[in-house]
Amino acid sequence: MDTKSYKRSRIMYIIEAALEYLISILVADMYLAALTRELGISESLTGIISSFISLGCVFQLCSLLIRKARPKRLVMALSILNQLLFMLLYVVPLTGWNPNVKIIVFVVVILLAYFFYNIAHPKKIDWFMSLVDNEQRGTFTAKKEAISLVVGVVFTFAMGAVIDYYKETNIKTAFIICGISIFALTILHTLTMIFTIDKQKNEVCENCDANEPKSNIFSVFKDKSIIKVTLVFVLWYIASYTAIPFYGAYKEGALAFSYTFGAVLGVIYAIARAFFSFVWGKYADKYSFAKMLRICFGIAAIGFLINVFCVPENGHVIYTIFYICYAIAMGGINSALINLCYDYVSKERRADALAVSLAVAGVCGFLATLVVSPLVSYIQGNSNMLFGIHIYAQQVLSLIACVMTIVALLYVSISLTKVKRIDRDEENEQNSDKHA
C-alpha cells in the first residue's frame, strides 16, 4: 500500500471523485431545470424524470451479472459512455428537431446515461477502495469527500454565473459552454482511471462457476451480512426521502428564501460537511463505521426535530440550524454506508452488497416519497391545517423523518455495533499467528 503506484492511484481516486462530482452537478438541480424548461418539458414531467433518476440505483443489480477478474476496462468504457451521454443532453436543445422528438430523445439519453453509470458504480467503488488500507478508509474517504465538496462549491458559483449571464439573452450559448465543460471533464476523468493501477481480482471468479451468475445473485440475497447492511441503507433512505425532496418547494414557497440565501446555505453546508468528514473519518478508523454512523444518525434526528419548528417567521434561522446539523451528519453517513459493506461483508461479495443495498434502498426511498405525497397534498389543500392545527406539511414530514432516523439509529446499535468487523478480525488473527 506504500508503493509509489498505490500512492499515485489513491491521488487519482481523489481527483476522479471530484471530476465525477463536477459532471453530476451539471446534470442536476438548476442545470437540469434549465434544460427541461428550454425543451418545453412541464414541471410534472421533470419531476417524473427526476424520480426515475433516483431509481437509477436499481440498475446496479445488473452489475451482479458481470463477473470480471479485472474491472478496469469495463468501468472505463461505461464511464466514458455515461459522461458522453450527459454531454448530449446539452446538444439536444441545439438541434432543429421537432419539439416532441427532442423531448423523447432527451428522456431516453438521460435514462441511458444513468443506466450505464449505475452498472459501473459498484465495480468502480470496489476497484478503487481495494487500493486503500483498511485501517485508513475513514480518513481517506473523508479527504476525498471534502476535496470534492470544496471544488464543487467553486465550480457551482462559476457555472451558475454563466447560466445567469446567458439565460436572459442566449441560453443556448450557456448550453454549449456546459457541454464543452462536460467533454473536458470526461477526458480528465478518463485519464485518472488510466493512471490508476488495476490490482483488483474478483475472488468470486476463482471460487464459483462464472457461467451461473443467477445462482450468485440468489446467494447474495441469502447472505445475512448483506441483508443486515442493506436494512441500514433502507431505513436511512426512507427517513431522508420522506422529507428532503419536499424541502426545496418549502424554501422557494412558504419560507421565501432568495437564491442568494440559498447559495450561502450551500457554502455553509459544504464547509460543515467537509470539516466533519475528517472528524468522522478519524473516529471511524479508531472505533468503527457502525459506531460513527450511530452518532451521525443521532445528529440527523436532532436536525429533523429542529426543522419541525421551521415556519416562515423563523425560517432563515431554524432552517440554517437544521441544514448545519444535516451537513454534519452527512459528513459521516455517506462514507459509513459504503464502508459498512467493507466492514461486515466478505471481500468477494462487497461490490454485490453495495449494488443490492443501493438498489433496494433506492426503491424504498422512492416509495416513501410516494406514500407521503398524498399527505402533503391533503395538508396544503386544507389551507395548511391538520387536526385543527395550523401546520405546514414539511413540519409533519420532518417529524416522520426524525422518528425513522431514530429507528435507523436503534437498528445500528442493536444489529451492527456489537458485531466484529471482518477485516480487523482477519488482521487480529494474523497478528496472533505471528506472535505465536
Side-chain angles (χ1 to χ4, degrees):
M1 290 292 179
D2 293 327
T3 61
K4 289 184 178 180
S5 59
Y6 272 84
K7 290 180 179 178
R8 183 195 70 234
S9 296
R10 288 192 288 271
I11 293 174
M12 290 296 105
Y13 184 18
I14 292 173
I15 299 173
E16 180 275 337
L19 293 171
E20 186 176 73
Y21 179 57
L22 297 185
I23 293 174
S24 70
I25 289 174
L26 290 175
V27 292
D29 295 333
M30 57 179 286
Y31 302 96
L32 180 61
L35 285 167
T36 56
R37 190 183 306 112
E38 179 66 19
L39 291 171
I41 297 176
S42 65
E43 290 187 12
S44 59
L45 182 54
T46 300
I48 293 173
I49 293 172
S50 299
S51 298
F52 275 113
I53 292 172
S54 69
L55 284 173
C57 51
V58 175
F59 298 140
Q60 295 194 19
L61 291 177
C62 296
S63 68
L64 273 67
L65 300 172
I66 302 172
R67 300 286 159 182
K68 290 183 69 68
R70 296 182 181 273
K72 180 174 180 176
R73 291 183 179 179
L74 173 68
V75 170
M76 285 181 59
L78 291 175
S79 296
I80 292 171
L81 187 56
N82 149 245
Q83 290 161 6
L84 289 179
L85 286 170
F86 279 151
M87 183 190 71
L88 284 179
L89 294 177
Y90 284 96
V91 175
V92 173
L94 305 178
T95 64
W97 301 335
N98 180 279
N100 291 330
V101 173
K102 287 184 181 181
I103 293 174
I104 293 172
V105 172
F106 182 86
V107 172
V108 171
V109 169
I110 196 169
L111 291 179
L112 281 175
Y114 278 102
F115 173 74
F116 292 123
Y117 169 82
N118 282 287
I119 291 178
H121 185 65
K123 301 296 182 185
K124 189 196 73 174
I125 294 296
D126 198 39
W127 163 32
F128 278 109
M129 288 301 291
S130 70
L131 307 174
V132 182
D133 190 292
N134 286 319
E135 297 302 309
Q136 297 178 357
R137 281 190 279 113
T139 303
F140 179 83
T141 51
K143 184 189 300 182
K144 174 174 67 70
E145 183 170 289
I147 291 174
S148 294
L149 286 168
V150 172
V151 173
V153 167
V154 177
F155 184 77
T156 300
F157 272 102
M159 296 307 295
V162 171
I163 294 288
D164 286 337
Y165 180 79
Y166 287 107
K167 69 180 180 181
E168 299 299 335
T169 55
N170 189 4
I171 190 65
K172 291 185 178 181
T173 301
F175 291 163
I176 294 173
I177 294 173
C178 289
I180 293 174
S181 298
I182 291 179
F183 183 73
L185 291 169
T186 298
I187 294 174
L188 295 175
H189 183 265
T190 303
L191 288 174
T192 61
M193 291 190 287
I194 290 174
F195 290 111
T196 300
I197 62 173
D198 185 14
K199 81 110 180 176
Q200 175 73 17
K201 289 185 178 181
N202 193 330
E203 297 174 14
V204 176
C205 295
E206 300 174 5
N207 301 323
C208 66
D209 186 355
N211 294 320
E212 297 182 357
K214 290 185 179 180
S215 63
N216 291 324
I217 294 176
F218 291 138
S219 65
V220 166
F221 283 99
K222 293 179 181 178
D223 191 314
K224 293 182 179 180
S225 298
I226 295 178
I227 297 301
K228 283 186 176 181
V229 171
T230 299
L231 281 175
V232 180
F233 279 75
V234 167
L235 291 172
W236 170 244
Y237 271 55
I238 290 175
S240 58
Y241 274 68
T242 296
I244 299 298
F246 299 94
Y247 285 163
Y250 194 43
K251 290 184 290 183
E252 291 183 358
L255 299 182
F257 287 177
S258 66
Y259 285 99
T260 301
F261 184 71
V264 171
L265 281 176
V267 173
I268 294 174
Y269 177 90
I271 293 173
R273 180 168 172 175
F275 175 79
F276 277 92
S277 291
F278 289 100
V279 175
W280 298 134
K282 291 180 180 179
Y283 182 90
D285 286 338
K286 185 176 181 180
Y287 298 102
S288 75
F289 283 95
K291 291 181 178 179
M292 180 263 277
L293 185 59
R294 184 172 58 181
I295 297 174
C296 291
F297 277 164
I299 296 172
I302 292 172
F304 284 126
L305 182 60
I306 290 172
N307 218 33
V308 171
F309 303 96
C310 183
V311 293
E313 291 75 16
N314 60 23
H316 286 74
V317 175
I318 296 297
Y319 192 87
T320 299
I321 296 174
F322 153 74
Y323 212 43
I324 292 173
C325 290
Y326 187 68
I328 293 172
M330 290 304 294
I333 290 175
N334 270 7
S335 64
L337 290 176
I338 292 174
N339 280 289
L340 286 181
C341 297
Y342 288 79
D343 277 352
Y344 301 104
V345 179
S346 58
K347 291 182 179 179
E348 67 272 13
R349 293 193 182 277
R350 286 170 177 172
D352 294 344
L354 182 59
V356 169
S357 297
L358 288 171
V360 175
V363 172
C364 292
F366 177 70
L367 292 176
T369 302
L370 292 182
V371 168
V372 299
S373 293
L375 176 61
V376 174
S377 299
Y378 173 78
I379 295 175
Q380 292 178 341
N382 199 33
S383 301
N384 295 319
M385 297 292 293
L386 183 65
F387 304 126
I389 303 173
H390 186 272
I391 193 169
Y392 291 92
Q394 285 77 3
Q395 292 178 269
V396 178
L397 299 183
S398 295
L399 181 60
I400 297 174
C402 174
V403 173
M404 289 304 304
T405 304
I406 293 173
V407 172
L409 186 159
L410 293 174
Y411 175 77
V412 172
S413 300
I414 295 171
S415 300
L416 293 180
T417 53
K418 295 181 181 179
V419 179
K420 293 182 179 180
R421 299 165 65 181
I422 287 178
D423 288 323
R424 289 196 173 183
D425 284 349
E426 292 175 350
E427 184 176 322
N428 290 336
E429 289 175 6
Q430 290 173 0
N431 290 337
S432 297
D433 292 340
K434 289 180 181 179
H435 289 306

